Amino acid sequence: MASNSSGGGSDRQRVAQQRLRIIAGHLQRPVDVDSTILAAECKAQGTETHVEEKTVPKRRQETMKWNGWGYSDTKFLFNKKGQAEFTGKRYRLSGMIIPALKEWMEGTFGTNMQHKSPATPILTSGAVQPPTLNEAFVEELTSTGIPFSLDAEDRVFRAHGHCLHEIFALREGKVGRVPDLVVWPNCHNDVVKIVELACKHDVCLIPYGGGTSVSSGLECPPEETRSIVSLDTSQMNRILWIDEKNLTAHMEAGIVGQNLERLLNESGYCTGHEPDSMEFSSLGGWVATRASGMKKNIYGNIEDLVVHVRMVTPQGVIEKSCQGPRMSIGPDIHHFILGSEGTLGVVTEVTMKIRPVPEYRKYGSVVFPNFEQGVACLREVAKQRCAPASIRLMDNEQFKFGHALKPQVSSMFTSFLDGLKTFYITKFKGFDPNCLCVATLLFEGGREKVLQHEKQVYDIAAKFGGLAAGEDNGQRGYMLTFVIAYLRDLGMDYYVIGESFETSVPWDRVLDICRNVKARITRECKDKGVQFAPLSSCRVTQTYDAGACVYFYFAFNYRGLSDPVHVYEEVEHAAREEILANGGSLSHHHGVGKLRKEWMREAVSNVGMGMLKSVKDYVDPNNIFGNRNLL
């Protein structure tokens, strides 16, 4: 059980001392073994490391929405003049007017600005059930000095991710099963203590990182009768060391993406791992869900970046004995941890590859006559293995959506240039505005190599009818990556619900899966009584030798539906069935959680499920990590 973790720690310490004595024999000066091996331990013990200030507060609801996406001071709204604007000061789009958004919403969804469906502004204490406490656990937890909370707002904030049904319910003030207690460990050793106490008192633990799950992964199982504790890793946010010779860095798993990159940048380095959620998602969450970033073409996915992982389980601590770049020692234990989604334990520390911050960065974009030629171009780029850091292809519906988000220009000259570009593409070159699509590009590296790389990609694009569409469009496309999630809240204010989901698929199935899934969404919405045609769109976001990741977006006006969330879930379920029938994967990087686990057996086979369950039964025989994801 969990008590093995302390014994395992003693064994590792003994082995480490023995090996350091061997190494010391090669040195001219004796080594103080004890002081060496105790470096970089818990913050509470006062050791000095690269300490990160508390950029993620314990009371996240003070800076972030409790029933929507992102920062509390940031949102899309329609002002008194009926113009759309983006509030706050955190993004390049902040404070700007978006003149075309209102017309696009009205034309796409049939929305009426007079018909609003506002969210419940505050959480009422009566909506939250009082905590079910294991008094013996609470008493021993108190004696450790590890901070915890029974506050209703703290508990509700950690009871959900960002699936549509979760946010829709919160907007209506409906709260289901929530954690009974929230605990904030400061370091690995604190997590060991918490897990030991949970095992001793049979308490259910649900790890919580950035809270950006879109797989129902953070929902508390309603059938769970034990006390549920949310283990919030946000205060474990330090870079413990940077190794400039081996180009690796060792971090606590609670650090969020934007802070990790900022701190590494201060030392001249980066990981290059930039998922769309990187502002809020955590390093531990990336590992637990097998995350992917928009610049994976250069830096790799999370499984390519991880060198070493430390995870606390009910059976003890699991980690490899060294940080070699590759090992042939049986099945890779990292692959039991990567994608485990909080079912086996808590990731506490991670060593990752790092690189010097690129000296040069350049954005770009290419417009294609149609989606088919755009996909063919991306396939050729992948075949020649010359993909830039990021290349993403939007279909026509997404192109129009992105165009509706263009901010108001401040100069007549800029407006004239935009009109001239449109005239050149649609009239002179003959591109149909209802068929064309756009790829956004990002190049990184040394200046000379970037320029050579850029020419190679644009030359390939030209063979497929692509026209260079400028740096501004490319840069704006990547800027929108971080603000687009705020639009769902605006949509729900006006009876529009929507969501995105993703898959990976072989190249020869990309066009079929895009066409068939979008058509299935449209057909299902009509059959289920949705009065207005839905938005059904897609984009190709990551490319590989043998296939690509495809994102689907869909949304519809739910006025007239008695249970819009149920209709939405039926449509999404049908879309997932269509994806699987067309040769797509269950998920590329969002994970499985509870939302998609009904398809797990089909995805990995009966034997595969048996293997996963065997690992769970050994590592966590009493289901301490009882979020019921995956299995």
Side-chain angles (χ1 to χ4, degrees):
M1 297 299 292
S3 59
N4 291 346
S5 61
S6 57
S10 299
D11 289 342
R12 284 193 303 276
Q13 194 171 78
R14 176 180 54 76
V15 171
Q17 288 174 334
Q18 179 182 0
R19 291 178 179 172
L20 282 169
R21 289 191 187 98
I22 294 171
I23 294 170
H26 299 287
L27 304 177
Q28 294 180 350
R29 187 163 51 89
V31 174
D32 182 349
V33 175
D34 291 335
S35 63
T36 303
I37 63 172
L38 293 176
E41 280 298 331
C42 189
K43 278 182 275 193
Q45 298 171 2
T47 51
E48 189 64 31
T49 60
H50 295 262
V51 177
E52 159 66 337
E53 67 272 18
K54 297 292 193 299
T55 53
V56 178
K58 292 177 183 174
R59 289 183 59 80
R60 301 191 194 200
Q61 59 269 29
E62 293 177 355
T63 58
M64 298 173 67
K65 299 184 186 76
W66 69 276
N67 60 355
W69 177 263
Y71 297 108
S72 301
D73 60 5
T74 303
K75 62 181 178 179
F76 284 95
L77 55 76
F78 291 105
N79 60 28
K80 293 179 180 179
K81 296 180 179 180
Q83 300 170 312
E85 64 177 88
F86 191 52
T87 66
K89 299 179 180 179
R90 300 177 184 271
Y91 303 89
R92 287 184 59 202
L93 194 63
S94 296
M96 293 187 178
I97 300 296
I98 302 100
L101 184 57
K102 178 174 178 286
E103 182 180 351
W104 179 83
M105 284 186 64
E106 291 173 338
T108 303
F109 301 112
T111 54
N112 186 323
M113 297 301 116
Q114 305 305 313
H115 298 153
K116 290 196 67 176
S117 177
T120 301
I122 58 173
L123 176 67
T124 59
S125 57
V128 186
Q129 290 292 319
T132 300
L133 297 178
N134 183 312
E135 298 294 349
F137 172 84
V138 173
E139 183 178 347
E140 287 206 54
L141 181 63
T142 302
S143 70
T144 68
I146 301 170
F148 66 89
S149 170
L150 305 177
D151 179 80
E153 288 186 355
D154 290 334
R155 292 161 53 218
V156 168
F157 201 96
R158 289 155 185 84
H160 66 88
H162 283 273
C163 291
L164 174 71
H165 68 271
E166 294 173 305
I167 300 303
F168 194 94
L170 289 173
R171 285 173 59 92
E172 294 194 332
K174 298 176 181 177
V175 179
R177 181 77 158 96
V178 304
D180 301 297
L181 181 150
V182 179
V183 62
W184 289 277
N186 282 301
C187 62
H188 169 83
N189 285 350
D190 281 357
V191 175
V192 171
K193 293 173 187 175
I194 294 165
V195 174
E196 287 178 345
L197 291 178
C199 290
K200 179 179 178 181
H201 298 289
D202 194 24
V203 164
C204 176
L205 296 178
I206 297 182
Y208 185 94
T212 58
S213 166
V214 286
S215 65
S216 301
L218 294 170
E219 282 186 311
C220 296
E223 66 271 24
E224 180 59 72
T225 58
R226 297 173 295 178
S227 183
I228 298 178
V229 172
S230 175
L231 194 156
D232 185 327
T233 61
S234 62
Q235 307 310 295
M236 298 166 55
N237 52 28
R238 298 175 297 171
I239 296 177
L240 298 176
W241 49 256
I242 295 174
D243 183 338
E244 295 185 299
K245 288 188 176 180
N246 293 310
L247 284 181
T248 56
H250 190 66
M251 288 79 65
E252 292 177 313
I255 192 167
V256 297
Q258 63 172 324
N259 295 335
L260 172 58
E261 290 302 294
R262 175 175 56 81
L263 289 172
L264 285 174
N265 288 173
E266 290 173 2
S267 297
Y269 298 100
C270 67
T271 68
H273 186 72
E274 295 185 6
D276 291 0
S277 62
M278 70 172 291
E279 293 176 283
F280 309 112
S281 57
S282 70
L283 172 56
W286 299 345
V287 171
T289 58
R290 292 181 63 89
S292 179
M294 67 178 83
K295 298 194 297 187
K296 75 96 200 158
N297 294 334
I298 288 181
Y299 301 98
N301 292 315
I302 193 67
E303 65 269 23
D304 305 308
L305 289 164
V306 166
V307 176
H308 188 84
V309 182
R310 200 177 194 191
M311 184 168 81
V312 181
T313 79
Q315 288 284 21
V317 176
I318 181 171
E319 61 182 322
K320 295 180 182 178
S321 63
C322 73
Q323 300 199 11
R326 185 180 186 276
M327 304 176 199
S328 179
I329 50 174
D332 191 341
I333 62 167
H334 283 172
H335 290 284
F336 292 116
I337 299 171
L338 286 154
S340 57
E341 299 193 15
T343 61
L344 302 178
V346 185
V347 176
T348 58
E349 295 174 11
V350 181
T351 306
M352 291 180 74
K353 301 172 189 176
I354 58 174
R355 295 202 192 181
V357 172
E359 69 173 76
Y360 192 64
R361 168 181 288 184
K362 191 171 185 183
Y363 295 93
S365 60
V366 180
V367 59
F368 293 96
N370 53 58
F371 191 65
E372 290 77 10
Q373 287 178 257
V375 170
C377 174
L378 265 62
R379 175 66 188 110
E380 184 61 27
V381 168
K383 188 184 295 184
Q384 295 192 27
R385 293 191 171 181
C386 62
S390 179
I391 179 168
R392 300 192 291 187
L393 178 72
M394 299 175 285
D395 70 2
N396 185 256
E397 291 82 3
Q398 288 227 344
F399 163 72
K400 292 176 179 177
F401 175 43
H403 192 73
L405 289 172
K406 289 191 74 169
Q408 184 171 283
V409 296
S410 56
S411 100
M412 289 288 292
F413 181 68
T414 302
S415 179
F416 171 75
L417 284 180
D418 286 344
L420 196 61
K421 291 175 185 175
T422 302
F423 177 82
Y424 175 76
I425 290 170
T426 61
K427 302 297 183 184
F428 188 74
K429 284 294 184 178
F431 284 23
D432 184 344
N434 294 313
C435 292
L436 64 81
C437 69
V438 174
T440 55
L441 313 171
L442 172 60
F443 300 88
E444 288 188 352
R447 188 176 188 279
E448 186 176 336
K449 287 188 176 181
V450 162
L451 295 178
Q452 292 173 351
H453 195 180
E454 180 187 42
K455 182 180 184 305
Q456 183 181 11
V457 172
Y458 280 116
D459 284 348
I460 293 172
K463 294 177 181 178
F464 295 92
L467 298 174
E471 289 185 58
D472 288 346
N473 286 325
Q475 188 169 16
R476 192 169 63 85
Y478 286 96
M479 176 267 292
L480 289 176
T481 295
F482 300 109
V483 306
I484 215 164
Y486 288 93
L487 274 167
R488 187 171 71 175
D489 295 335
L490 175 69
M492 285 193 278
D493 284 342
Y494 294 93
Y495 291 93
V496 174
I497 54 177
E499 187 62 281
S500 65
F501 49 92
E502 38 66 65
T503 185
S504 56
V505 63
W507 279 113
D508 66 345
R509 303 298 299 159
V510 169
L511 290 176
D512 286 343
I513 208 169
C514 291
R515 179 180 60 251
N516 294 344
V517 172
K518 290 195 294 182
R520 181 73 179 270
I521 288 170
T522 300
R523 187 167 67 250
E524 292 286 336
C525 284
K526 183 177 181 180
D527 291 347
K528 289 173 173 52
V530 176
Q531 296 178 12
F532 300 91
L535 171 69
S536 180
S537 68
C538 68
R539 62 179 178 176
V540 180
T541 60
Q542 280 110 324
T543 61
Y544 299 86
D545 289 351
C549 171
V550 178
Y551 249 101
F552 292 95
Y553 292 77
F554 87 93
F556 59 82
N557 184 331
Y558 68 84
R559 292 194 71 202
L561 297 177
S562 60
D563 191 348
V565 171
H566 178 66
V567 170
Y568 163 80
E569 290 176 339
E570 287 188 321
V571 175
E572 185 187 33
H573 189 279
R576 181 61 57 185
E577 291 280 6
E578 191 72 31
I579 285 172
L580 297 175
N582 280 267
S585 68
L586 187 53
S587 175
H588 172 261
H589 61 270
H590 281 172
V592 176
K594 291 178 275 292
L595 189 65
R596 289 176 275 273
K597 73 176 184 177
E598 68 176 273
W599 292 286
M600 267 296 284
R601 189 173 300 277
E602 176 185 346
V604 302
S605 78
N606 286 332
V607 175
M609 282 295 285
M611 293 171 68
L612 294 176
K613 287 183 176 179
S614 294
V615 173
K616 170 69 173 177
D617 290 344
Y618 172 74
V619 173
D620 187 15
N622 295 315
N623 197 31
I624 297 302
F625 288 90
N627 59 23
R628 290 174 169 79
N629 292 338
L630 287 174
L631 304 175

